[in-house]
Amino acid sequence: MTVERLYLDCFRNYQKCTVEFLSAINVICGKNAQGKTNLIEAIYYLATGRTFRSVGDKELINFDFQSASIRADIVSSEREQKLEARFSRDRRRELYVNDVKIKKGSELTGRLTVVLFCPDDLTIIKDGASVRRKLMDSCLSQLRPAYHATLSEFNRLYDHKTRILKDHHEKPGLLELLDDHNLRLAELSAKLIYYRAAFAGELSKRASIIHKDFSDGREYLEINYKTVGGMDASNKKPDELLPQLLLHQEKHKIAEIRSGQCLSGAHKDDLEIFINKIAARKFASQGQARTAAVSIKLAERDIHYEDKREYPVLLLDDVLSELDPKRQSFVLERIENGQVFITCCDDAVATFSGGAKTIEIEDGRAI
Ligand code: ATP
Ligand code: MG
C-alpha cells in the first residue's frame, strides 16, 4: 500500500500544501513545531477516520479558517483510489472514497492500512489494560471487518447492560432484559476472545524475535493474553469458549447487580507483557519500554503483511529519539520494505542512506 500524494487544505498549521511521496522511505524532517506530526496525523486520519491525538475534529481545522480538508491518492491492492476528509466548524466531518461520500468511518477499513508508532505508545507498556485492548482492537479491526462489526455491537450492548445495571433501582422492569443481554454479550465476547487470543499469540511470537535482535540478544519479550476468569483461550473456537463465559457471567450476576458494573466479558481483557520474565508494566526502564513498544508495532506490521501479502503504510513519529545509535540502525534496517513515513529532527537526517526521500517541513509548508 502506498500514499502517492497528499493534499492538505487548512489542516492544522498547514494552508495549501501538496506533497508527493516515494513508495519507500519518506523522511519528514524539520525543527520542532513545524508540522511533522500533523502530516503523519493527516495520513492516519484518512486510513482510520479518526486522529490518534485525543481531540475533536474541529481542532484539526487551521485556527484562522472555517473549513479544512485532507485528500490522498493511494494505491491499494494495485488499484488507485482517492480518499478525502472534509471538516467544517459548523457541520459534521464528511468522508469520501473516490469522490463518493461514505456514511461511516468503518467503510474506510481495508483501503489504506497503517501501523503507527508515536511517542504516546509507551503507554502500551506502562498504562492500564484499556490501551492494550485498543491495540488489539485497532489492528484486528483493520485486518478483519467481521471483528470490527462484532466489536461495535459488543460496545453498544455493553452500554445497554451498564444502563440496566445502573438504572434498575428506579425501573425494576429493566432487570427482565438482563438475561438476553448477558447471552448476547457472552456470544460476542466469545468471538472477540477467539480473534484476540490468536492475534496475541502471533504478536508475542513475532515481537519477541524482533525485541531480541533489537536488544542484542539480551532481552526476552513475552506477551500473554489474559481474559476473564484466567480462562485459557488458545486454540479454542467461539463455541468452545461460550460455556465458560456463561458460567463466569452467572457467578458474577449478583455482584454485577449490586455494584452496577459489568464484571464479566471481553471488556476486561488485557495483554501481560514481560521482559526477561519481569512484568514490564511495573519494572521496564524507559529504553526497554520504548524498545518493546517499537518491537510490538513492527510485529503488527509483519502480521498485516503475512495476512494480506501487502505491507501496510508504516508511520513512525519520533521513533529515533531516545534510542542509541545501535538501536536506531536496527529500526532503519527493519523498515526496508513497504512505504514508511518517519519524522525526525534535522540532525537525524544524516542517518538515512540514499533511496529515502527527505521532505523538510517549515511552518506548515513542505520544502
Ligand atoms: P515536534 O518536533 O515538536 O514534534 P512537529 O513538527 O511534529 O514538532 P506538530 O505537532 O506537527 O509539530 O505541530 C506543529 C504546530 O501546529 C504546533 O505549533 C501546533 O500548535 C500547530 N497547530 C496544531 N493545531 C493547529 C490548528 N488547528 N491550527 C493552527 N495550528 C495548529
Ligand atoms: Mg511531532
Side-chain angles (χ1 to χ4, degrees):
M1 272 181 199
T2 42
V3 181
E4 301 206 303
R5 232 163 280 108
L6 182 71
Y7 309 84
L8 302 177
D9 188 2
C10 301
F11 178 79
R12 295 276 194 189
N13 68 329
Y14 290 83
Q15 287 194 15
K16 283 213 186 299
C17 178
T18 304
V19 206
E20 303 234 356
F21 301 115
L22 280 190
S23 57
I25 300 179
N26 298 274
V27 183
I28 317 293
C29 65
K31 300 198 176 64
N32 290 134
Q34 302 303 308
K36 302 184 297 295
T37 303
N38 293 346
L39 194 142
I40 297 281
E41 186 183 32
I43 296 171
Y44 185 90
Y45 198 101
L46 289 175
T48 61
R50 60 194 163 78
T51 158
F52 55 84
R53 288 148 150 181
S54 40
V55 295
D57 287 338
K58 306 274 186 261
E59 274 126 289
L60 305 176
I61 303 170
N62 188 312
F63 301 139
D64 301 329
F65 293 85
Q66 290 306 309
S67 59
S69 69
I70 30 181
R71 205 150 50 86
D73 299 332
I74 66 160
V75 178
S76 167
S77 313
E78 295 173 7
R79 277 177 52 217
E80 295 199 4
Q81 299 198 50
K82 284 188 193 132
L83 304 177
E84 184 175 353
R86 294 184 199 162
F87 309 97
S88 162
R89 296 216 183 270
D90 48 20
R91 263 180 290 125
R92 268 177 57 85
R93 68 100 198 265
E94 294 172 350
L95 297 171
Y96 296 82
V97 174
N98 298 326
D99 299 316
V100 177
K101 192 168 161 183
I102 57 171
K103 288 202 184 78
K104 287 187 284 184
S106 57
E107 289 174 53
L108 287 175
T109 305
R111 292 177 196 278
L112 176 63
T113 311
V114 293
V115 171
L116 166 79
F117 174 86
C118 64
D120 273 356
D121 283 333
L122 289 188
T123 57
I124 294 171
I125 313 300
K126 290 288 189 177
D127 277 15
S130 67
V131 190
R132 289 178 291 280
R133 281 196 298 275
K134 216 185 262 170
L135 170 90
M136 291 191 276
D137 289 343
S138 97
C139 188
L140 280 164
S141 294
Q142 291 199 78
L143 278 172
R144 302 267 175 273
Y147 182 89
H148 190 269
T150 307
L151 183 67
S152 304
E153 196 187 345
F154 178 87
N155 288 336
R156 196 172 55 80
L157 280 174
Y158 171 82
D159 288 345
H160 282 189
K161 180 174 164 184
T162 308
R163 241 175 293 142
I164 294 172
L165 293 172
K166 291 212 187 302
D167 295 348
H168 71 91
H169 301 290
E170 287 94 65
K171 302 175 200 155
L174 280 178
L175 281 182
E176 283 169 26
L177 303 172
L178 197 57
D179 285 346
D180 282 350
H181 275 74
N182 274 347
L183 176 60
R184 189 67 194 127
L185 271 168
E187 286 168 352
L188 294 166
S189 284
K191 279 193 199 160
L192 295 178
I193 291 168
Y194 161 74
Y195 281 116
R196 286 175 182 175
F199 173 75
E202 199 59 30
L203 191 72
S204 180
K205 198 172 75 192
R206 290 171 187 274
S208 84
I209 295 170
I210 298 172
H211 190 107
K212 191 171 167 215
D213 289 347
F214 213 147
S215 60
D216 246 352
R218 283 195 304 271
E219 289 170 15
Y220 175 64
L221 175 77
E222 202 181 337
I223 302 171
N224 293 333
Y225 176 60
K226 208 172 135 237
T227 188
V228 286
M231 193 165 89
D232 177 12
S234 47
N235 302 319
K236 292 211 177 78
K237 295 258 172 346
D239 55 359
E240 295 171 89
L241 297 166
L242 185 61
Q244 293 183 65
L245 286 166
L246 288 169
L247 195 66
H248 188 267
Q249 223 174 33
E250 195 53 37
K251 279 192 195 153
H252 289 78
K253 193 171 168 181
I254 296 182
E256 284 188 328
I257 295 173
R258 280 202 191 122
S259 66
Q261 287 176 3
C262 299
L263 302 174
S264 176
H267 60 288
K268 292 266 173 202
D269 286 2
D270 195 1
L271 293 171
E272 288 178 318
I273 303 177
F274 297 93
I275 298 172
N276 291 340
K277 302 272 175 207
I278 296 169
R281 191 173 166 202
K282 287 187 188 148
F283 299 108
S285 77
Q286 189 80 356
Q288 279 179 319
R290 182 169 274 257
T291 307
V294 176
S295 302
I296 288 172
K297 291 298 170 145
L298 293 175
E300 189 186 326
R301 178 178 186 246
D302 291 349
I303 291 175
H304 279 283
Y305 178 74
E306 214 39 58
D307 200 78
K308 305 276 187 241
R309 290 282 142 197
E310 191 173 28
Y311 275 105
V313 172
L314 184 60
L315 305 173
L316 299 173
D317 190 22
D318 250 341
V319 74
L320 297 181
S321 51
E322 273 182 43
L323 292 180
D324 57 40
K326 202 159 188 180
R327 290 190 181 205
Q328 283 188 358
S329 55
F330 175 79
V331 174
L332 301 181
E333 274 165 33
R334 287 286 317 196
I335 59 175
E336 273 172 352
N337 300 311
Q339 191 182 33
V340 183
F341 294 84
I342 180 163
T343 69
C344 64
C345 57
D346 291 331
D347 308 346
V349 174
T351 328
F352 296 90
S353 52
K357 176 170 179 170
T358 306
I359 298 156
E360 168 97 21
I361 304 291
E362 195 182 297
D363 196 18
R365 274 166 307 158
I367 299 171

